[in-house]
Amino acid sequence: MIPFLPLKDITAKYADEINVAVNRVVSSGWYLQGKENEAFEHHYADYIGTKHCVGCANGLDALIWIYRAYIELGIMQPGDEVIVSANTYIASVLAITENGLKAILVEPNPETLELDDSKIEEAVTSRTKSILLVHLYGRCAYTEKIGELCKKYSLHLVEDNAQAHGCIYKGQRTGSLGEVAGHSFYPGKNLGALGDGGAVTTSNKELADCIRALANYGSTKKYVFKYCGRNSRLDEIQAAVLDVKLRHLDEDNRLRQRVAAYYYENIKNPLITLPKQLPDENNVYHLFPILCEQRDELQQYLSENGVQTLIHYPIPPHLQECYAGSWNENALLITERLAEQELSLPISQVLADKDIEKVVVLLNDFK
Ligand SMILES: *Cc1c(COP(=O)(O)O)cnc(C)c1O
């Protein structure tokens, strides 16, 4: 079986360094809010290109704290609107609604699968305060037009960089393109911990300070609570592991890009559509999505022939039970069609050449 993502092998690749890091924390007797967080935050901020990085418990919390901070700082009010791509993972939407903000779902471009920048302006109202820009599947979703719209309507640009660690847009990393960004270190992400983890990057000190407090019970000083926060901290063990893996992230992303290049060059089947590649784009291929009208048959066929695939995502946020009645069910036809046709192929830094070739042969034989 060619597994979708062999986490065991991905960890094994750097096992020696990871073991040293984990053992250092274990024997130190210091497990939270210590040197490991400090070092990782420093290195990750440097890597992304922001002044600050705040570690937190997971990617969803990172995004929740960002919008909560905007509210605490009086920059946004509950009821304000945030534009977000309709085909994102539900965490992006939850971070908005959890804060009493309204998620305005905008369709993706069906060719790139990223937020369609030609559909943003018609969604802007007097209550729109922000765009939550999700770099979905590892590709930068930022465009100059999005930057112009943010300026024109004074929108706060927030990035959901959970799927695009290391991606570069015109010399700048995603996660430094907007005012603030949320990152997830869920094990399966390009930069993954051995458990949950997340971070916020920003060059805005006020936001960084507020978020650091919110993720630590709302505390600005020991036993002094400025906000009603929560316990949402990054473990020292995870920070130590992430610091090791960060050093290899660019190399690992290049290996993913190699797999993607092979797929692009060799998958040739009229029943299968690959996302359009744009000139000069940088993509760190968190996932490799393909589209197929016979998606379920294709998945079944691949599975019978020893290839595991996944669907990202089978039910879009607006059709989930938790959001019943929140949006008009039929208004997001592109997103719904993508949910029926999307299939993610195996891609990782440890996928063997013979396995990549096997996947392609099977795809090209599919009728
Ligand atoms: C994974 C992910 C998140 C949430 O991250 P967790 O660490 O799992 O909470 C948020 N947004 C997107 C787009 C993601 O893929």
Side-chain angles (χ1 to χ4, degrees):
M1 186 74 171
I2 301 175
F4 180 73
L5 190 69
L7 283 179
K8 199 174 146 183
D9 300 343
I10 286 172
T11 304
K13 196 175 164 198
Y14 305 118
D16 291 348
E17 284 175 82
I18 289 173
N19 286 332
V20 168
V22 169
N23 288 333
R24 182 176 67 234
V25 179
V26 170
S27 59
S28 76
W30 195 280
Y31 307 120
L32 283 165
Q33 295 182 293
K35 283 185 206 140
E36 305 292 342
N37 263 262
E38 212 174 291
F40 173 67
E41 286 178 352
H42 186 78
H43 295 149
Y44 196 60
D46 265 5
Y47 177 84
I48 294 293
T50 54
K51 288 195 185 132
H52 312 283
C53 169
V54 181
C56 65
N58 55 65
L60 172 60
D61 277 3
L63 295 168
I64 287 176
W65 298 134
I66 289 170
Y67 282 103
R68 174 76 184 277
Y70 277 123
I71 292 172
E72 293 289 354
L73 296 172
I75 296 164
M76 290 181 201
Q77 314 289 327
D80 283 344
E81 295 174 1
V82 178
I83 286 170
V84 63
S85 44
N87 62 328
T88 186
Y89 179 56
I90 197 161
S92 323
V93 185
L94 286 171
I96 298 168
T97 59
E98 162 131 351
N99 278 295
L101 299 162
K102 208 170 150 197
I104 306 300
L105 304 174
V106 171
E107 293 265 51
N109 176 325
E111 291 191 323
T112 65
L113 315 181
E114 304 297 333
L115 180 64
D116 186 343
D117 63 6
S118 74
K119 293 197 172 136
I120 295 174
E121 196 156 18
E122 66 203 43
V124 173
T125 74
S126 59
R127 295 231 49 186
T128 313
K129 288 287 152 58
S130 171
I131 296 176
L132 177 52
L133 188 62
V134 187
H135 304 299
L136 203 64
Y137 303 131
R139 183 188 340 225
C140 177
Y142 182 83
T143 63
E144 268 169 33
K145 177 149 189 198
I146 290 175
E148 284 160 18
L149 289 169
C150 286
K151 235 182 233 153
K152 182 169 171 189
Y153 295 103
S154 304
L155 306 178
H156 300 275
L157 184 62
V158 177
E159 298 172 79
D160 180 341
N161 202 45
Q163 301 194 0
H165 315 111
C167 181
I168 292 173
Y169 173 85
K170 295 192 177 170
Q172 249 180 291
R173 301 260 184 209
T174 56
S176 72
L177 303 171
E179 238 169 50
V180 57
H183 308 253
S184 161
F185 306 125
Y186 177 81
K189 300 289 160 86
N190 289 36
L191 179 57
L194 304 183
D196 277 315
V200 172
T201 55
T202 180
S203 289
N204 181 318
K205 185 166 188 307
E206 237 193 330
L207 275 176
D209 288 347
C210 183
I211 287 163
R212 189 175 294 285
L214 285 168
N216 183 32
Y217 288 103
S219 171
T220 44
K221 209 162 90 182
K222 203 164 170 91
Y223 303 130
V224 177
F225 302 94
K226 183 166 177 180
Y227 312 104
C228 295
R230 268 202 288 117
N231 179 349
S232 170
R233 301 177 296 221
L234 181 64
D235 291 338
E236 286 282 277
I237 285 194
Q238 300 304 346
V241 170
L242 288 165
D243 210 31
V244 168
K245 292 184 77 179
L246 177 61
R247 294 202 282 274
H248 302 288
L249 178 59
D250 285 343
E251 174 193 338
D252 283 343
N253 281 341
R254 274 194 294 278
L255 292 170
R256 286 173 177 273
Q257 286 164 341
R258 223 185 114 248
V259 178
Y262 187 85
Y263 281 156
Y264 267 107
E265 219 164 286
N266 295 288
I267 296 173
K268 291 195 165 58
N269 183 332
L271 298 176
I272 293 168
T273 307
L274 305 188
K276 189 172 168 185
Q277 286 182 296
L278 302 175
D280 305 325
E281 79 161 12
N282 186 265
N283 187 334
V284 293
Y285 296 101
H286 171 56
L287 298 169
F288 194 93
I290 63 173
L291 302 177
C292 178
E293 278 183 39
Q294 299 78 13
R295 190 264 317 273
D296 293 346
E297 289 92 318
L298 177 59
Q299 183 172 38
Q300 177 74 23
Y301 156 87
L302 288 171
S303 166
E304 282 163 5
N305 286 284
V307 177
Q308 187 191 13
T309 56
L310 293 178
I311 296 168
H312 299 92
Y313 297 91
I315 308 173
H318 72 285
L319 298 180
Q320 295 288 351
E321 190 178 346
C322 63
Y323 282 132
S326 299
W327 297 281
N328 177 351
E329 280 196 19
N330 295 316
L332 298 160
L333 299 177
I334 294 172
T335 296
E336 286 167 30
R337 177 158 52 82
L338 292 176
E340 285 164 10
Q341 297 186 355
E342 196 276 345
L343 190 67
S344 299
L345 302 181
I347 189 164
S348 76
Q349 55 270 50
V350 297
L351 190 59
D353 284 353
K354 66 169 184 7
D355 291 344
I356 308 168
E357 286 158 19
K358 178 177 168 181
V359 171
V360 169
V361 168
L362 284 170
L363 286 173
N364 290 345
D365 282 349
F366 178 69
K367 290 182 204 58

